[in-house]
Amino acid sequence: MDEVDDRFRRDRRRSVAAAPGKAGIVRIAIMLIVVSASISGLTIKAWNQTTEDGAASVPMQQLHKALDLAQRGDADGAMQIAQQLLDQNPKFEPAMKLKGMLLEETGRKEEAIVVYEQALKVAPNDTDLLLKDGLYKLTIGQKQAALDLLSRAAKARPTDGEVQYYLAQAYHLNGRDDLALEAVRKSMKADPYNASIKQKYGELLCSTGNNQEGLHWLAEAKQGDSRLPHIDYEIGAADYKVMDLPGAAENLRRATEVEPGDLNALQMLGATQAKLGQWAAAKDSFTKLLARRPDDVDSLLGLGQCQLELKDYSDAAATLQSVLHLDPTKLLAHFYLSRAYAGMQNSAEAAHEAALHHLMMEQMSFVRSVETEQREDAIRHPARELLQQHREEDALQLYTEHFKGTQATPGDAMVFVGKTYLFMGDTDDGLRCLHRALALDSHVRGAHSYEGILALKDGDLSRAEKEFKAELANDPSYQMAIAEMGEVRYRQENWAEAADWLNKSKTMTPELLYMLADAEFHLGKAQDADLVAETAAAYGRNNPQLIQGLEALLIKNGQGELAKKLASN
């Protein structure tokens, strides 16, 4: 569901193919319907008039001639007539649509879209154009623009199964699965025997956690058409979610046989076999996948676990080291590597990896704030664009819609907009929104913290401490404020309290972990500092400046070997 799903049209094409020789006729018939439906959108009435004896106007006669040529396979002749008509009247929409279709038929999709978008300016309510442009916007990742276009198409043609099918996908990609389900139900009502729609309905149900009902509809879809793309994989994935592991293994095995290039199915098959304790089979699945995608971290981790369980300790250690080289934040890799070292009788390395795993597991309790931040990521960029256009109310509405069904409040929306302003460098509007959030709800999360972070940026430690303490008075467990209090104490060179606050925060922020490691070194806790420094390097691996700082900190404190290890990663 992360890419444009064209199964609906493939399913329609399959139905057309069932009647040999009729595909071209059907295609041209569709074109005729589209063109005739578009005539009402002409801006120059004379081009839509008939002659005195009731015959079609000259432009319409030429258009039908072009369609006849296209039907007989003379695309060049049809294009020539369409272009002549547009040279005479650039806003003759039927000719624009015909030109776009001819371009699309010859594989020149991007040129076709340009023509369709020009036609849409002439006829902004043309449903076919809205659908085509909406699908194109989905293809290039413009999810909100696609949703706007497809919503307009659905408003004009609410019972059109195809429009509702793609509208469902647009809703899903914009995080509105409730509306996606509503749209796909309308699509299924319009076309109750379409297997692709049933498949989509099953997928959406599974994506919302309703796996049992999703399985029912996926099975219905397969019964209607066993050749649907990825159907065995989707049934197997749903089986996996409801913990029917034998069923999942069978469907996923079939998926890999039907579509050998489906690496997602192969990876999930390996994971399922591992859960069933079928270590040799799982190892074989992961090995096949890695032959095609050698840097796939999850598959490497799965292979490492299989090698460990098969007691190939040396191979397991090598594989798991590769995992950690690619992604040192993989917690299970540290755990499995500790076991592999233990199997190799390397107790020192085993203890070190076990300690790292324990420390990073503790930090996973920082998940409450992280989850909110991750959910906000989807709307961060569009919200910023709205604020740059001075559309603050629209940005607030965007947040409200995105978090609909959660416990988010108007105060939370105002905090989000306030901090977005701050990140844009607009201090005045940022503070105005944060203060407004507190006026709406004096206990709203984050408002005091972001004002405190601004104070830290300005070097005002006293005001920063005041804001963080105010945040903690509302919520003593708010981990961002706890961590930032650690930074205040660090800047005050109060090493013991800095270490205490930062340890208590369980932060995963690399810069704060650097401060914790430095504080631990000042307190003479070199072993703890080493672990924190290695953890900071894991989370900050894409920040060269941070890594250089950590290396310098380690060398300064006599930990040259660890510094070299971090540099080599």
Side-chain angles (χ1 to χ4, degrees):
M1 289 291 293
D2 291 336
E3 298 177 356
V4 177
D5 190 331
D6 203 26
R7 294 173 192 164
F8 184 95
R9 289 186 168 179
R10 285 200 295 270
D11 192 66
R12 287 285 180 88
R13 285 197 292 268
R14 196 175 292 133
S15 298
V16 169
K22 293 188 177 181
I25 296 172
V26 172
R27 184 177 68 250
I28 297 302
I30 291 171
M31 291 166 65
L32 282 165
I33 291 167
V34 171
V35 169
S36 61
S38 73
I39 292 175
S40 61
L42 293 178
T43 56
I44 300 178
K45 293 182 180 179
W47 280 62
N48 191 28
Q49 291 176 347
T50 59
T51 61
E52 290 182 1
D53 61 359
S57 65
V58 172
M60 291 307 299
Q61 290 176 11
Q62 290 294 99
L63 185 71
H64 284 288
K65 181 179 179 181
L67 287 168
D68 182 60
L69 289 174
Q71 185 175 6
R72 288 189 280 115
D74 187 358
D76 291 338
M79 178 65 81
Q80 185 176 0
I81 294 174
Q83 190 58 56
Q84 287 172 352
L85 289 169
L86 290 173
D87 289 341
Q88 296 172 54
N89 180 7
K91 293 186 177 181
F92 186 38
E93 188 209 347
M96 296 172 80
K97 293 175 75 170
L98 175 57
K99 180 180 178 179
M101 290 175 187
L102 290 168
L103 288 169
E104 196 171 3
E105 286 284 313
T106 55
R108 297 157 67 182
K109 185 171 184 179
E110 292 186 0
E111 294 177 60
I113 289 297
V114 172
V115 176
Y116 290 142
E117 289 184 339
Q118 290 170 346
L120 197 54
K121 291 177 182 178
V122 176
N125 297 318
D126 187 297
T127 312
D128 300 290
L129 292 172
L130 289 167
L131 176 59
K132 282 186 175 293
D133 200 16
L135 282 173
Y136 178 69
K137 292 295 191 294
L138 278 180
T139 302
I140 62 176
Q142 294 183 12
K143 297 180 286 188
Q144 185 59 50
L147 180 57
D148 293 341
L149 289 161
L150 292 167
S151 296
R152 286 163 57 193
K155 187 174 181 181
R157 202 184 290 170
T159 60
D160 188 302
E162 185 175 13
V163 171
Q164 293 291 346
Y165 178 89
Y166 289 111
L167 177 61
Q169 185 167 343
Y171 275 130
H172 173 72
L173 293 175
N174 280 277
R176 294 302 310 273
D177 281 341
D178 53 336
L179 295 177
L181 285 167
E182 183 180 328
V184 80
R185 289 185 187 112
K186 290 179 181 177
S187 181
M188 192 154 51
K189 183 177 181 181
D191 195 353
Y193 300 108
N194 190 302
S196 288
I197 301 176
K198 293 179 181 180
Q199 182 180 13
K200 180 66 66 181
Y201 188 39
E203 288 176 23
L204 287 169
L205 286 167
C206 290
S207 73
T208 61
N210 191 348
N211 296 299
Q212 288 290 359
E213 190 176 355
L215 265 171
H216 166 77
W217 285 104
L218 290 171
E220 285 268 323
K222 183 174 180 179
Q223 186 175 0
D225 185 351
S226 62
R227 297 171 298 165
L228 286 168
H230 310 305
I231 187 65
D232 291 308
Y233 166 68
E234 286 157 6
I235 293 174
D239 283 332
Y240 185 88
K241 290 175 183 176
V242 299
M243 296 307 292
D244 178 6
L245 297 181
E250 177 59 25
N251 282 294
L252 292 167
R253 181 192 57 75
R254 190 180 300 114
T256 61
E257 291 174 353
V258 173
E259 300 180 70
D262 189 344
L263 300 187
N264 290 329
L266 189 56
Q267 184 176 62
M268 185 167 281
L269 174 60
T272 304
Q273 291 165 332
K275 282 187 176 293
L276 289 168
Q278 299 170 358
W279 303 114
K283 177 183 175 182
D284 181 60
S285 295
F286 288 128
T287 301
K288 287 179 182 176
L289 190 147
L290 289 164
R292 298 277 300 278
R293 208 158 60 190
D295 290 337
D296 187 280
V297 174
D298 290 330
S299 296
L300 278 169
L301 180 61
L303 176 60
Q305 183 188 12
C306 293
Q307 291 167 331
L308 176 66
E309 299 299 339
L310 293 169
K311 302 189 186 308
D312 299 330
Y313 297 122
S314 181
D315 288 344
T319 301
L320 295 165
Q321 285 166 353
S322 297
V323 172
L324 292 171
H325 179 74
L326 293 167
D327 184 357
T329 66
K330 282 291 183 183
L331 300 187
L332 277 175
H334 288 289
F335 176 67
Y336 294 146
L337 185 54
S338 173
R339 289 180 54 198
Y341 281 136
M344 297 166 65
Q345 308 301 313
N346 189 338
S347 56
E349 289 292 347
H352 176 75
E353 292 298 331
L356 265 177
H357 175 256
H358 177 73
L359 175 61
M360 295 173 81
M361 278 293 292
E362 284 189 332
Q363 289 166 326
M364 290 304 293
S365 65
F366 196 56
V367 71
R368 184 178 178 186
S369 296
V370 171
E371 284 179 348
T372 302
E373 289 285 327
Q374 288 175 340
R375 183 158 186 174
E376 287 178 355
D377 280 345
I379 59 170
R380 202 177 306 280
H381 181 68
R384 189 183 183 109
E385 288 185 338
L386 289 171
L387 295 178
Q388 287 172 338
Q389 299 166 14
H390 308 290
R391 296 167 59 189
E392 186 176 298
E393 288 300 321
D394 289 338
L396 289 167
Q397 184 61 30
L398 175 66
Y399 182 95
T400 301
E401 287 296 320
H402 186 65
F403 282 88
K404 189 175 182 179
T406 71
Q407 296 181 343
T409 67
D412 293 320
M414 195 63 72
V415 169
F416 171 75
V417 169
K419 71 179 180 182
T420 303
Y421 273 131
L422 291 180
F423 294 152
M424 292 165 57
D426 187 344
T427 301
D428 291 340
D429 282 326
L431 288 175
R432 172 180 58 78
C433 289
L434 294 178
H435 294 161
R436 175 62 179 156
L438 288 166
L440 290 170
D441 178 3
S442 61
H443 290 82
V444 68
R445 286 170 61 88
H448 284 296
S449 289
Y450 287 107
E451 190 163 351
I453 290 170
L454 178 63
L456 268 177
K457 181 181 175 183
D458 294 337
D460 189 344
L461 298 182
S462 177
R463 184 161 66 90
E465 181 173 348
K466 176 184 174 184
E467 294 297 336
F468 295 136
K469 284 184 174 178
E471 187 77 66
L472 292 169
N474 287 336
D475 183 356
S477 66
Y478 190 34
Q479 290 162 302
M480 180 191 293
I482 295 170
E484 295 300 340
M485 275 298 297
E487 181 173 355
V488 170
R489 293 291 181 257
Y490 177 81
R491 294 195 186 190
Q492 293 169 341
E493 298 188 0
N494 185 339
W495 312 119
E497 287 194 28
D500 183 56
W501 281 107
L502 290 167
N503 270 314
K504 190 161 55 175
S505 76
K506 309 300 181 189
T507 181
M508 295 163 64
T509 304
E511 292 78 7
L512 293 174
L513 288 168
Y514 171 94
M515 296 177 194
L516 176 56
D518 193 15
E520 297 281 21
F521 276 129
H522 276 93
L523 295 169
K525 299 179 179 179
Q527 188 174 0
D528 291 341
D530 284 351
L531 287 172
V532 173
E534 198 166 347
T535 305
Y539 291 122
R541 62 192 182 280
N542 295 320
N543 184 340
Q545 188 175 357
L546 175 80
I547 299 299
Q548 290 172 7
L550 284 168
E551 291 172 19
L553 178 66
L554 290 166
I555 291 170
K556 174 185 171 183
N557 288 278
Q559 306 299 311
E561 288 301 316
L562 181 55
K564 288 180 183 178
K565 178 181 176 182
L566 298 186
S568 66
N569 290 335

